[in-house]
Amino acid sequence: MKKKCDICRRKRKKRCSDIEKTIKIKPDLYSAYYSLGQLYFNKKEYEKSIEAYKKILNSTVYGTRAYYNIAKVYVENGEYEKAMSSLEYAMELDSHYMEKADNEYLF
């Protein structure tokens, strides 16, 4: 089991590195920031996850999802007021995030 975990860790590290290289070449590629935010979240590197998501808050495609995912990061960190603020903003932009938060037991 330990060997499998090590392999997963190395793959995630390589994926982060690959995405970071892509961002250097195409800094306006919002999908790369979104993917990077998800990878950092899964690695429990919450500050880096928030940093990546904040880069795309103004994106019409990824902005609302970024606010929602930032709320999830804050929940994991126990920062519930910040999480609620981010979630409320996501819900203002798209009301389906209320149901999504409910279904994921975000709070």
Side-chain angles (χ1 to χ4, degrees):
M1 186 68 149
K2 185 177 189 284
K3 187 172 183 147
K4 187 175 181 179
C5 291
D6 289 340
I7 292 169
C8 291
R9 253 186 241 109
R10 283 194 299 272
K11 283 183 179 180
R12 280 194 303 259
K13 188 174 183 177
K14 177 155 176 32
R15 282 188 65 207
C16 284
S17 176
D18 290 346
I19 292 171
E20 287 168 346
K21 287 176 188 174
T22 300
I23 289 171
K24 284 183 181 178
I25 296 166
K26 289 188 149 198
D28 59 344
L29 188 62
Y30 292 136
S31 61
Y33 288 106
Y34 186 80
S35 295
L36 193 60
Q38 289 179 306
L39 283 170
Y40 282 134
F41 179 81
N42 291 334
K43 291 172 60 175
K44 298 184 186 322
E45 293 184 33
Y46 299 129
E47 291 303 315
K48 288 183 178 181
S49 179
I50 289 172
E51 262 180 53
Y53 288 133
K54 282 186 175 181
K55 302 269 186 186
I56 58 173
L57 292 177
N58 293 325
S59 163
T60 55
V61 176
Y62 294 98
T64 307
R65 284 189 265 176
Y67 277 107
Y68 180 77
N69 287 348
I70 288 172
K72 288 172 58 174
V73 173
Y74 284 139
V75 167
E76 289 296 316
N77 266 345
E79 299 177 75
Y80 300 111
E81 285 183 35
K82 288 182 178 180
M84 198 63 204
S85 176
S86 191
L87 178 60
E88 285 173 352
Y89 197 73
M91 289 186 302
E92 282 178 30
L93 296 172
D94 185 340
S95 61
H96 102 274
Y97 282 96
M98 182 182 299
E99 183 178 333
K100 186 173 172 84
D102 230 13
N103 290 339
E104 291 184 9
Y105 305 105
L106 198 55
F107 287 96

